[in-house]
Amino acid sequence: GDPATGLYDAAANAPDGDPAHGALRAFLAKRGATTVGRAVPDEVKTEFLRLAARRYFETIAAAIRRHDPNHLLLGCRFAGLNSAHRVVWEEAGKTCDVVTFNQYPWADLDENAVYLWRDSRVKVADAFAETHAWVKKPMLVTEWSFIALDSGLPCTGGYGQRFRTQGERVQAAELFSKTLFAMPFMIGGD
């Protein structure tokens, strides 16, 4: 569903005995509602999403810290910047030591610029800075790649922009790496 409302809608459509449905019922009861329905303002649905994200991150963080208190909590590894609503990113930043995510960018070697994806005009640096303003924690790209078609392998599966040659692939990787490390809040890219 929609990043802001999908979790609410799924919980509202779940059977009465489902834990998500019960959590939604309790959430709405605190707001004076006696029935669970889909016809509520999107702001209420987003508030439920925030509550669920907070509970998730706090529960996971408490369990990890209980068993391993001396290491950084690297977050949940979001599947790209557009994979979750802003409130989920904000809640991750409140609990995690480092916020982690995958991002398969688009390197334009002619422009010497890296964009979020093909046909996007949003530069990676701008998008990462906006996300950092939400999380207020160091960030780490945990997965990215560029693929060269001259490797002798099929190169038809997986994610990542394809380049004709290994040389172009190296240029793209260098450009992305330099872009990452120019941002003071980025601690790396795997």
Side-chain angles (χ1 to χ4, degrees):
D2 183 271
T5 61
L7 182 65
Y8 180 99
D9 293 340
N13 290 330
D16 280 338
D18 186 272
H21 191 84
L24 178 57
R25 186 176 295 285
F27 167 82
L28 291 172
K30 287 182 181 179
R31 285 150 187 78
T34 56
T35 61
V36 173
R38 291 183 68 170
V40 299
D42 284 355
E43 298 80 35
V44 173
K45 293 179 177 186
T46 303
E47 191 179 336
F48 180 69
L49 175 63
R50 181 183 293 280
L51 173 70
R54 181 179 304 134
R55 173 123 356 126
Y56 169 79
F57 285 109
E58 287 176 351
T59 300
I60 297 301
I64 291 171
R65 298 220 190 279
R66 184 171 46 255
H67 297 286
D68 189 8
N70 299 317
H71 291 91
L72 293 174
L73 178 56
L74 298 180
C76 66
R77 193 174 181 205
F78 288 97
L81 293 186
N82 293 330
S83 65
H85 190 275
R86 174 185 176 155
V87 300
V88 178
W89 288 90
E90 290 170 351
E91 293 302 322
K94 291 176 184 176
T95 309
C96 302
D97 298 310
V98 177
V99 176
T100 56
F101 61 100
N102 299 346
Q103 188 67 45
Y104 289 89
W106 188 265
D108 188 318
L109 300 180
D110 294 329
E111 291 182 19
N112 202 37
V114 184
Y115 297 96
L116 277 181
W117 54 79
R118 184 181 188 162
D119 299 325
S120 169
R121 298 317 295 165
V122 177
K123 290 187 175 180
V124 160
D126 296 335
F128 288 10
E130 179 181 28
T131 305
H132 179 257
W134 301 340
V135 300
K136 299 174 179 58
K137 291 286 177 77
M139 296 168 52
L140 173 68
V141 178
T142 49
E143 189 175 306
W144 63 276
S145 72
F146 297 110
I147 299 166
L149 299 174
D150 68 347
S151 67
L153 300 171
C155 297
T156 56
Y159 291 103
Q161 181 182 0
R162 271 94 171 128
F163 288 94
R164 289 182 310 253
T165 68
Q166 293 292 330
E168 289 175 343
R169 176 180 178 245
V170 168
Q171 286 179 303
E174 182 179 14
L175 180 59
F176 183 56
S177 295
K178 285 181 178 180
T179 301
L180 277 182
F181 294 119
M183 296 177 266
F185 52 86
M186 291 301 302
I187 63 171
D190 184 13

